[in-house]
Amino acid sequence: MTADVGRTSGVGLRVGVVGLGLVGGSVARLLHAQGVDVTAHDATAATRAAARAAGLRVVGDLADVCAQEPDVLVLAVPLRAMRSVAAEVGRHVRGATVVTDVGSVKGAVRDAVRSAGLESRYVGAHPMAGTEHSGFEASDPAMLDGARWAVTVDGTTPRGGFVTVLRLVTGPLGGTVHVLTDEVHDESTALVSHVPHVLATELLGVVADAPVRDVALGLAAGSFRDATRVGRTDARRTEAMVTDNAAWVASALRVVVRDLEQLVRALESNAPVGEFFDRPDPVRGPAPVAGSGERLRVDLDDAGDWRTALAGAGARGAVVVDVEDGAVVVA
C-alpha cells in the first residue's frame, strides 16, 4: 500500500459474505486468512461445497448469514441479482449489521438497497480488481492485495457504518480507499472499466466476423491479447455491468465514436492524424501516487458535512491515509 493506513488484524471482526464468485470468493478467502470470523453463502450448491473444501464456514441460506448478526454483511452477488438479494436481506437482517457490497455500479445498487429498506445500514464499496475469469475456482485473496477501492457516500450514509467499512477495507482487506459519491464513481468506472470492456468485446467481434479470422488469430500476439483480455470474461456479467451504468457508458462511447469517425475520415483523405495519437500524452506517464498529497483531517460530525468534504476530496484524487476515532484523514 502506498497510503499510510496499515493493514490491521481482523481478529474479533465478524463478516458475512453473500455470493462467492470471483470477487466475493476472494474477499471471503482474504478475510479468513487475516483472522476474520467469516460466514458465507452462495446460491449454488457446488460453489458452497467448493468454499467449504477451501476452509470457509458456509451456511445453507442467506437468512442463516443474517442470523449471525455480522458486523458487516458484504453483498457480492451479480448485479442482475442484487435487487432480489437486497430484498431478502431486508427481511432477515438484524442487530447493528452494516450492509456493503462490491458491485461495479453504485447508483443501481443504492437504488436496490433503498427499495429494500436498507439505506440506513448501507455503505457502498467497490474494489478495482478482477480478472477475465469467473466463479469461486478463480477467486484468489492475492487479487485484492493493495487494490484500490471506492467507498461511496450520500446524505444518508451512517457514520458508524462508514467507519466500520473503512476499517475493514484498509485493515484486513489491505486496500486503498477513495471516498466518492455514487455518481462520480459510476462516471469514473465507465471510463476506466466499463468502456474498456465494451471496446475489448468489439475488437473480438470484429475479428470473429473477419474473413481472415483464423489467420489473424494465428498472428495475434501481445497487443491483441492485452487489448482483448477483459472481452473474454462472462458476457452476461459484462452486459449487466454496462446496462446498469448505461447513461455514463453511452456518454463516453459517444466520445469514442466521434473520435474514431474523425480518425477514419483523416485516414481516408490522407489527412494528418498526429493529434489523435498525441492526445493521451497527459496520462501516458505513471499513475499518481496514492496518498502523496496535502493531508486533510475531516471530523465525522453529526451535521453530515463530513460526507461532502470526503467525497469532494476523493473526487480530486485523495485517498484515506488514516482512520481515527471521530475523524478520517485523506491526502
Side-chain angles (χ1 to χ4, degrees), residues 212-237:
V212 294
R213 177 185 65 190
D214 294 341
V215 175
L217 291 174
L219 293 171
S223 60
F224 183 76
R225 180 196 63 231
D226 295 344
T228 59
R229 180 183 63 81
V230 295
R232 300 173 188 274
T233 191
D234 179 84
R236 299 288 75 78
R237 183 176 71 177

Side-chain angles (χ1 to χ4, degrees), residues 79-259:
L79 287 171
R80 58 186 176 272
M82 187 63 74
R83 188 166 293 272
S84 61
V85 169
E88 188 175 356
V89 170
R91 291 192 292 271
H92 296 291
V93 72
R94 60 181 74 172
T97 296
V98 178
V99 176
T100 189
D101 73 302
V102 293
S104 62
V105 182
K106 301 272 53 94
V109 174
R110 191 175 297 276
D111 287 344
V113 298
R114 184 183 295 119
S115 296
L118 297 169
E119 192 168 18
S120 63
R121 298 177 180 269
Y122 176 66
V123 180
H126 175 214
M128 297 300 293
T131 74
E132 66 272 30
H133 305 295
S134 59
F136 182 78
E137 64 277 6
S139 66
D140 182 356
M143 185 185 81
L144 295 171
D145 193 30
R148 295 192 179 198
W149 288 67
V151 172
T152 63
V153 296
D154 76 349
T156 64
T157 299
R159 179 177 57 179
F162 173 72
V163 172
T164 298
V165 171
L166 280 191
R167 286 182 166 151
L168 175 67
V169 172
T170 62
L173 286 172
T176 297
V177 171
H178 298 248
V179 181
L180 305 170
T181 63
D182 296 334
E183 187 173 61
V184 169
H185 169 275
D186 289 353
E187 181 180 8
S188 300
T189 55
L191 293 172
V192 299
S193 177
H194 306 163
V195 168
H197 276 76
V198 172
L199 297 180
T201 301
E202 169 61 9
L203 183 52
L204 286 172
V206 168
V207 173
D209 291 341
V212 294
R213 177 185 65 190
D214 294 341
V215 175
L217 291 174
L219 293 171
S223 60
F224 183 76
R225 180 196 63 231
D226 295 344
T228 59
R229 180 183 63 81
V230 295
R232 300 173 188 274
T233 191
D234 179 84
R236 299 288 75 78
R237 183 176 71 177
T238 300
E239 179 185 7
M241 176 177 67
V242 169
T243 55
D244 275 350
N245 201 19
W248 286 118
V249 173
S251 177
L253 285 175
R254 286 193 181 278
V255 176
V256 171
V257 170
R258 179 203 69 192
D259 294 343

